[in-house]
Amino acid sequence: MSGNSHSTGRLDGKIALVTGGASGIGRATVERFLREGAKVAITDIEQDKGEKLASKLADEGFEVFYQSLDVVNPDEWQKVVDAVVARWGRLDILVNSAGIGRAKGLLDMSYDFWRQTIAINLDGTFLGTQAAVSSMKDTGGGAIVNISSVLGFVGLPNISAYAASKGGVRLFTKAAAIECAEKGYNVRVNSVHPGYIETPMVMRRFDKIVESEREAEETRLKQSHPLGRLGKPEEIASMILYLASDEAAFVTGAEFVADGGYLAR
């Protein structure tokens, strides 16, 4: 298992569900949660990858299972949450990590492109939060961590759909957190805003660049972060772990940035 193998048991006895859990930040989070004592349901639209990961982790002795989930399908969300509760009795933690990131100029963007980006990144977060809160409020509460982006704070050319979706996640998180608190649900809701991280979604941006220009583009992207490098999925998983744990019991409606200084300029 990748990353730091040391466990402090920070999630002992917790039941977690991670979307987009077969790769990138989602996978790093799944692995970190398991090491910290949680039982984890992995969901991802990539069934083969998700099943292989769950099988590998189960063989290592962890309590884990995979279930396919299209995050824009309300019925599938209900089935997944029901499956977690049927298996382990409740749901304590939801990490909404599934998402897509694509670039398209404002005048070149089709409405379908816009809608798909908003649907997966924002609608999927809403549906997951709604399904999780509905369950958590009756079983003692829980913690929800929504993965946004530094581009939920600032814009760049050609990513208006992505920025809109991630900005929406940022403010949806705050509104949901306040509502859960005021209604006494005992559910905390926070957002994490990574900079550019070494994940398949980010690294795919280089696939369309000719080899002679690739190194320069990678250097430019790294230098946009004052620390001079891209982040690692495990570094984001560490922040998610804090927010999911009881250490963050007084933290809700907050935004946590892990961006190598990207937004500090």
Side-chain angles (χ1 to χ4, degrees):
M1 189 179 284
S2 62
N4 179 8
S5 61
H6 177 66
S7 171
T8 56
R10 293 161 73 185
L11 296 182
D12 279 350
K14 299 289 189 181
I15 311 301
L17 167 61
V18 180
T19 73
S23 64
I25 292 170
R27 176 171 179 157
T29 300
V30 167
E31 294 179 344
R32 186 65 187 276
F33 278 16
L34 290 169
R35 286 201 307 273
E36 295 293 343
K39 301 173 184 178
V40 181
I42 302 170
T43 73
D44 202 287
I45 202 167
E46 295 190 64
Q47 183 170 347
D48 185 58
K49 189 181 291 186
E51 288 178 342
K52 286 180 178 177
L53 176 61
S55 177
K56 170 182 175 292
L57 294 171
D59 288 345
E60 293 176 14
F62 295 106
E63 293 200 56
V64 59
F65 77 97
Y66 165 80
Q67 187 158 327
S68 180
L69 171 65
D70 179 353
V71 296
V72 302
N73 187 318
D75 293 336
E76 288 190 18
W77 263 112
Q78 192 59 55
K79 288 177 183 177
V80 167
V81 171
D82 287 348
V84 173
V85 173
R87 188 180 186 111
W88 290 320
R90 67 185 188 279
L91 175 64
D92 301 314
I93 300 164
L94 169 65
V95 180
N96 280 310
S97 183
I100 57 171
R102 303 173 300 170
K104 185 74 73 172
L106 179 63
L107 300 184
D108 299 322
M109 188 188 313
S110 68
Y111 183 56
D112 285 344
F113 180 100
W114 169 272
R115 279 301 314 150
Q116 185 182 36
T117 304
I118 298 295
I120 294 173
N121 292 350
L122 182 54
D123 296 354
T125 298
F126 154 69
L127 290 171
T129 301
Q130 185 181 59
V133 171
S134 180
S135 177
M136 289 174 175
K137 69 181 180 63
D138 296 326
T139 55
I144 297 173
V145 183
N146 296 326
I147 308 306
S148 180
S149 168
V150 290
L151 298 177
F153 287 89
V154 297
L156 288 175
N158 303 315
I159 52 87
S160 56
Y162 183 77
S165 70
K166 292 302 188 179
V169 168
R170 178 183 172 217
L171 286 180
F172 166 73
T173 295
K174 293 181 181 301
I178 294 168
E179 183 171 340
C180 287
E182 292 188 349
K183 291 189 175 180
Y185 294 159
N186 194 33
V187 177
R188 299 182 295 103
V189 193
N190 295 288
S191 59
V192 172
H193 301 258
Y196 287 89
I197 310 299
E198 290 179 0
T199 63
M201 187 176 79
V202 169
M203 302 314 287
R204 273 196 298 269
R205 68 186 286 130
F206 300 112
D207 293 344
K208 299 176 182 178
I209 300 174
V210 296
E211 191 66 31
S212 61
E213 299 175 4
R214 179 174 177 134
E215 184 176 351
E217 177 60 18
E218 285 193 31
T219 299
R220 185 200 65 78
L221 189 61
K222 289 175 181 178
Q223 289 180 344
S224 68
H225 303 74
L227 288 184
R229 65 175 177 87
L230 303 184
K232 300 181 184 303
E234 294 78 11
E235 293 169 326
I236 307 305
S238 292
M239 180 169 284
I240 295 169
L241 169 63
Y242 164 69
L243 292 171
S245 75
D246 291 339
E247 297 165 28
F250 197 54
V251 180
T252 196
E255 54 203 29
F256 286 74
V257 175
D259 67 350
Y262 186 96
L263 290 176
R265 291 192 190 276

